[in-house]
Amino acid sequence: MNELWMVRHGRTEWSAAGKHTSHTDVPLLPEGEEVARSLKSRLADVGFVQVLTSPRLRARRTAELAGFPDATVEEDLVEWDYGAYEGVTTKEIRETVPGWTVWSHPVPGGETSTEVQERLDRVVRRVREADGPTLVFGHGHALRALAARWLDLPVTEGQHFQLDTATVSVLGWEHEAPTIRRWNA
């Protein structure tokens, strides 16, 4: 059965501060590394047919510490491009754009939800074509959007799936319907 196992990278200084981080290659904090190591025993016996990671250091390092140093880099797993909001918190953005969220408002100089959807749809196709479970290492907003696309929902519905750092989520099937089997565990 093909399933999509998703791991958000371990905690970084910017994720701890709530800063939007797409292109900036922020390293894991020591506690982020420790939690990433703890994932190893939870993932070791699954028998993944493919393991993919975002090219960003924080995702690749999480994959390595979780026992997958040879994960294949997949450009489509990068975080939502925050453009001018890179390194800025939602609170700071809302000082000039009241009510702003990445799910509901434009991102100056960044990606649109349509662009995010197109690249994540390629990941969904790749996983669904696999003959067994796939493990991916990625980022908060992109993985939430990926879950929405797995469920055949618009990317913007990812707003309903809170995702903590260094957690494991599993997407699968009930009969022919895509489902969430485990979330934020």
Side-chain angles (χ1 to χ4, degrees), residues 81-92:
D81 183 344
Y82 299 120
Y85 295 150
E86 179 80 2
V88 182
T89 67
T90 297
K91 182 180 178 181
E92 292 168 332

Side-chain angles (χ1 to χ4, degrees), residues 113-132:
S113 60
T114 300
E115 291 168 327
V116 172
Q117 182 167 313
E118 287 172 0
R119 67 181 169 83
L120 294 178
D121 281 352
R122 290 190 294 266
V123 175
V124 169
R125 277 192 301 276
R126 184 172 178 176
V127 173
R128 288 184 176 172
E129 291 170 357
D131 191 23

Side-chain angles (χ1 to χ4, degrees), residues 5-184:
W5 290 59
M6 303 188 317
V7 174
R8 183 177 173 196
H9 64 77
R11 191 175 175 113
T12 68
E13 183 179 330
W14 280 26
S15 65
K19 293 181 178 184
H20 291 88
T21 318
S22 49
H23 298 286
T24 306
D25 239 348
V26 182
L28 298 179
L29 290 170
E31 63 263 29
E33 290 198 352
E34 182 179 331
V35 175
R37 280 185 197 90
S38 76
L39 297 172
K40 194 173 196 172
S41 63
R42 295 174 57 195
L43 301 170
D45 297 327
V46 177
F48 297 107
V49 297
Q50 59 184 343
V51 179
L52 310 173
T53 184
S54 160
R56 301 297 181 254
L57 173 64
R58 56 198 181 275
R60 288 184 294 114
R61 181 73 173 143
T62 300
E64 176 186 338
L65 294 172
F68 301 92
D70 298 325
T72 302
V73 171
E74 173 53 67
E75 290 290 334
D76 285 335
L77 286 171
V78 295
E79 180 59 294
W80 199 304
D81 183 344
Y82 299 120
Y85 295 150
E86 179 80 2
V88 182
T89 67
T90 297
K91 182 180 178 181
E92 292 168 332
I93 297 166
R94 287 181 173 178
E95 290 172 5
T96 56
V97 185
W100 181 89
T101 74
V102 73
W103 310 108
S104 61
H105 288 72
V107 180
E111 281 182 295
T112 66
S113 60
T114 300
E115 291 168 327
V116 172
Q117 182 167 313
E118 287 172 0
R119 67 181 169 83
L120 294 178
D121 281 352
R122 290 190 294 266
V123 175
V124 169
R125 277 192 301 276
R126 184 172 178 176
V127 173
R128 288 184 176 172
E129 291 170 357
D131 191 23
T134 296
L135 174 61
V136 301
F137 291 87
H139 312 277
H141 284 130
L143 291 179
R144 292 166 65 183
L146 181 59
R149 294 310 298 148
W150 179 267
L151 299 171
D152 299 321
L153 299 171
V155 160
T156 54
E157 293 304 305
Q159 69 185 316
H160 299 292
F161 308 124
Q162 178 181 332
L163 189 60
D164 297 329
T165 55
T167 56
V168 177
S169 298
V170 183
L171 307 176
W173 301 91
E174 181 177 25
H175 306 294
E176 296 80 29
T179 61
I180 298 174
R181 301 193 63 200
R182 186 178 322 143
W183 190 258
N184 222 19

